[in-house]
Structure formats: structure tokens, C-alpha cells
Amino acid sequence: MPIELKVPVIGESVSEIFIGQWYKGEGSTVAVDENLVELESEKATLDVPSPSAGVITKILKQAGDTAEVGEVIAYLDAVEAAPEKKAPEKAPEAPAPAPAPVAEAPKPAPAPEPPKPAPAPAPAPAAKAEPAKAPAPAPIVTQPVNHTAKPANYSQSLQVGAGNRTEEVVSMSPVRRRIAARLLDATQNAALLTTFNEVDMTAVKELRGGLGEAFEKRHGVRLGFMSFFVKAAVDALKQCPEINAIIEGDKVVYRRYFDVGVAIGSERGLFVPVLRNAEEMSFATIEKSINDLAKRAQTGSLRVEELQGGTFTITNGGVYGSLLSTPIVNPPQSGVLGMHSIVNRPVAIDGQVVIRPMMYLALTYDHRIVDGREAVTFLRSIKEAIENPARILLEV
């Protein structure tokens, strides 16, 4: 019985989606809950599992097409196809014994060997056939087409020029379009300013080195740097509530809860899943949550609601080697903290030049609501908490 595969409801405000890659083609056998196709909206990317075991009989929407929520994009024949494949597997077992007697019959058939001399008189035609094969390599010239026609998850048009001067035009995915629109909106509709500080990571590194193994054994997850910064950021936001607030018209809305977004890069794009009520989370809970969110960002299984409603964002360009940057605020938020690479640098401490693992911090904020005093106070609070982690643990 044919089953209609429809675009599921992805979010309240999402009416159109973008077809990514099909994991299975027409005629492919699929199992229940096996991922069939990748769908992208302007807010998230997700995989659609098969509702039943069976065979994909028809794909109506190809990679690069758009479709509306509820629209049929493929047809699946239910599980009847599965038993049919099992039957032929047993069938070959029966004929297996039959070949034995057949093998004896061909023994008297060495007679066909006489025809072998027949090819001998035709050496000349064989020689002529060889030159005929020579032009065959010509089609090898089609290899450049394979070079330009790289498979992509999005619709594309290719313009092939002479030699290596080729161009490839690829459609923006909804996620990338959404990111572009939001970042442009942030730069055009907010008075963004960035202030910097630096933090000595010695204490945190020593704490992780001394207790990291015990932490992992007890909680089943590694103790990373991000949990320290989430904790420090929540404490700093309490001291500087303007950075956790938003502007609505001519009013300022102060949020008394702390939903911290953590930027996660993946092959599917940049996602910022949110740690709800981060002020109530322990170090272990933060690390487990981030680990889970990062894994699901890679597989496209993040839910739309997990990407909405953050009050503040933390992004770590240091994982890619960034030494310094000016992150852009994620509207309607009023601030974003940028972490960077930890680099051993000479610093002056108590009149002595020593080598310490240092990290630059950057806070980009909306100057319409946040003044320089609050921004500097916020970064100084982060710095003091990270350089003396006991303050985080004792909440002082």
C-alpha cells in the first residue's frame, strides 16, 4: 500500500522548506525510522525518517526544490516488498545441488575446442579492430565535466569556461539565508560596539588538569572550558542586567532568567542552541547539554524550539584558531561574548615577565541599551571569575 511522505510541521512560523539531500533513491529499500531526506528551513535542518519499512517508489521533489508544509514529496510502498526479497534468497539454495550433474555433462563437450582454430584465420580483422578501439579514449575528455559537477545538497547551475577557469553557482540554503538576514538586520538596526579584555587561563587549566579525570569518571563527560564561561557569564549578567535585556519599541524588557545560547559550527551551518535557565545548571549539566546539542547539530536533529529565545550568546572562535574577533549580536539580544584561542604569551605579573596561557575576550553589545561602563564591568567580572574559579564555585 503506497504511503505519502509529507513535509512535517517544523515550526509555527515555517511554511516553506528546502529539500536537501536524499539519503535513499527511487527503488531503494528502507527500514522503519531510517532517515530518508534532509529538510532545511530558515531556522533549522532536520532529517525525515521513514514511517514504515518498504521501498521508495517515487520521489516528487529533488534536492534543491522547495516544498510547503504538508506537501507530498515522495511515495513509499509499505513492507510487502520485504518478504519478497527473502523468498528469492532461499530459491538459489534449491538449484545449488542441480549444477552438480550438469557439471558432468559438459565433460564430453571438449569437442567445441575445434572451433578455436576458426579465430586463427581472422588475425587481420583483429588488427583492424585495434585501430577502431583507438578513438574510444576520446570520451575520456568528459572527465572535466565530473570535476565541475560536484554533487551538492542544493540546486545549482554550473558555468564551465576554458581550462581551469570555471565557476559554480550554488543556491543559498534557507539556514544560510536566515543567518545572512539576521546578521544584516543586527548591523543595520542596532548600535553595535565591541570592547575587549584578556584573561589568564592558568587557574582553569590547572583545575581541569587536577580534577578533569575524576569529573569525567563521575559524570561521564569531559570538563571543558565552556562550562566555566557559561557560569561566569550568568554571574556577570546578574551584575549588568542591561546586557540580558532587549528593546521593544520605546521600552526595555529586563529578563530575570538566563537562557544562554552557545554557538556551534557544523557542516550544515552555524547553529545557536539555547541552554534554558543556565543559572540553575551545574558544571556537569552544562557540559552534558552542550555535548548533546553539538552532536545533534552535526546530524541535523536539533529541534526548532531549541534554537529560539536565547537572552545572551557565547561564541568560541578559538576552536578554529581565531586570536581576536568582533562577534555580531544575535537580535533581539543585546550582547554576545566572543572567546578566542588560548596562546602562551609574555605578561607582567608582580613586576616580573612570565609566560601565561592567555585568551582575548570580546563583548559586542547594543550601545542603545548598554553603556561602556556596563560592558567593561561585564568583561572584568568574567576575567575575575575565570582567573579565580573558586569564585564561581562559591558564588562570590
Side-chain angles (χ1 to χ4, degrees):
M1 177 180 180
I3 298 175
E4 295 180 337
L5 297 177
K6 299 181 179 180
V7 176
V9 176
I10 298 178
E12 294 182 0
S13 60
V14 178
S15 59
E16 186 179 67
I17 60 88
F18 179 93
I19 305 294
Q21 62 176 319
W22 282 92
Y23 302 120
K24 297 287 185 177
E26 291 185 358
S28 298
T29 301
V30 297
V32 180
D33 294 331
E34 185 176 4
N35 288 335
L36 300 179
V37 63
E38 176 188 66
L39 301 182
E40 292 191 20
S41 73
E42 61 180 17
K43 295 182 178 179
T45 301
L46 75 158
D47 291 329
V48 177
S50 175
S52 170
V55 176
I56 297 178
T57 56
K58 185 67 175 177
I59 293 178
L60 304 178
K61 292 286 186 176
Q62 302 299 325
D65 293 343
T66 58
E68 297 181 355
V69 171
E71 184 176 353
V72 178
I73 59 175
Y75 288 99
L76 173 75
D77 264 356
V79 75
E80 288 82 15
E84 292 178 5
K85 287 194 173 183
K86 292 182 180 178
E89 290 178 1
K90 295 180 180 179
E93 295 179 1
V102 176
E104 296 176 0
K107 289 181 181 178
E113 293 180 359
K116 291 182 181 177
K128 294 178 182 178
E130 291 179 5
K133 294 178 182 177
I140 297 177
V141 180
T142 60
Q143 289 181 347
V145 176
N146 295 333
H147 175 71
T148 56
K150 296 177 182 177
N153 295 340
Y154 316 117
S155 61
Q156 61 183 28
S157 62
L158 301 177
Q159 300 177 359
V160 182
N164 293 327
R165 294 179 59 79
T166 62
E167 295 181 353
E168 181 177 356
V169 181
V170 181
S171 299
M172 268 190 175
S173 70
V175 171
R176 176 48 59 185
R177 291 201 300 266
R178 179 64 172 172
I179 292 172
R182 289 181 66 82
L183 293 180
L184 186 60
D185 174 65
T187 57
Q188 293 180 339
N189 298 307
L192 300 182
L193 183 63
T194 304
T195 188
F196 305 93
N197 210 322
E198 61 180 356
V199 58
D200 185 344
M201 298 294 294
T202 300
V204 169
K205 292 189 71 175
E206 290 178 348
L207 186 59
R208 292 178 70 235
L211 299 176
E213 185 176 349
F215 182 91
E216 185 171 1
K217 286 183 179 178
R218 179 166 183 175
H219 300 291
V221 65
R222 292 183 61 188
L223 178 60
F225 292 115
M226 187 59 77
S227 54
F228 287 92
F229 281 92
V230 170
K231 283 285 194 179
V234 168
D235 185 60
L237 290 171
K238 291 178 180 178
Q239 298 178 50
C240 306
E242 295 82 3
I243 302 176
N244 200 52
I246 60 172
I247 294 177
E248 288 188 354
D250 60 353
K251 295 181 175 60
V252 177
V253 179
Y254 290 91
R255 277 85 65 91
R256 305 303 182 187
Y257 53 91
F258 305 90
D259 291 348
V260 179
V262 179
I264 297 173
S266 74
E267 294 181 356
R268 299 165 182 261
L270 178 68
F271 298 94
V272 188
V274 179
L275 301 176
R276 306 288 178 191
N277 296 112
E279 73 276 13
E280 300 176 1
M281 291 184 169
S282 65
F283 279 81
T285 303
I286 292 173
E287 292 294 348
K288 288 179 180 178
S289 299
I290 292 176
N291 189 49
D292 172 62
L293 292 169
K295 287 181 178 178
R296 291 193 288 117
Q298 299 296 337
T299 59
S301 55
L302 287 172
R303 300 186 300 275
V304 175
E305 58 269 21
E306 293 176 311
L307 302 169
Q308 298 176 331
T311 63
F312 183 75
T313 296
I314 300 177
T315 179
N316 184 8
V319 297
Y320 303 109
S322 172
L323 182 63
L324 191 62
S325 67
T326 55
I328 298 178
V329 169
N330 182 21
Q333 297 174 19
S334 298
V336 55
L337 175 67
M339 299 165 55
H340 299 89
S341 295
I342 301 173
V343 179
N344 288 329
R345 292 190 279 111
V347 293
I349 297 179
D350 298 329
Q352 300 293 322
V353 177
V354 296
I355 303 298
R356 291 294 179 87
M358 304 297 293
M359 175 194 288
Y360 285 118
L361 298 179
L363 174 70
T364 298
Y365 57 97
D366 189 344
H367 211 346
R368 295 178 301 165
I369 185 175
V370 181
D371 291 330
R373 179 173 64 90
E374 286 82 19
V376 172
T377 300
F378 177 89
L379 278 184
R380 190 175 66 246
S381 176
I382 296 282
K383 174 182 174 69
E384 292 172 353
I386 297 299
E387 292 183 346
N388 187 5
R391 294 189 58 179
I392 303 176
L393 300 176
L394 298 177
E395 299 181 348
V396 296

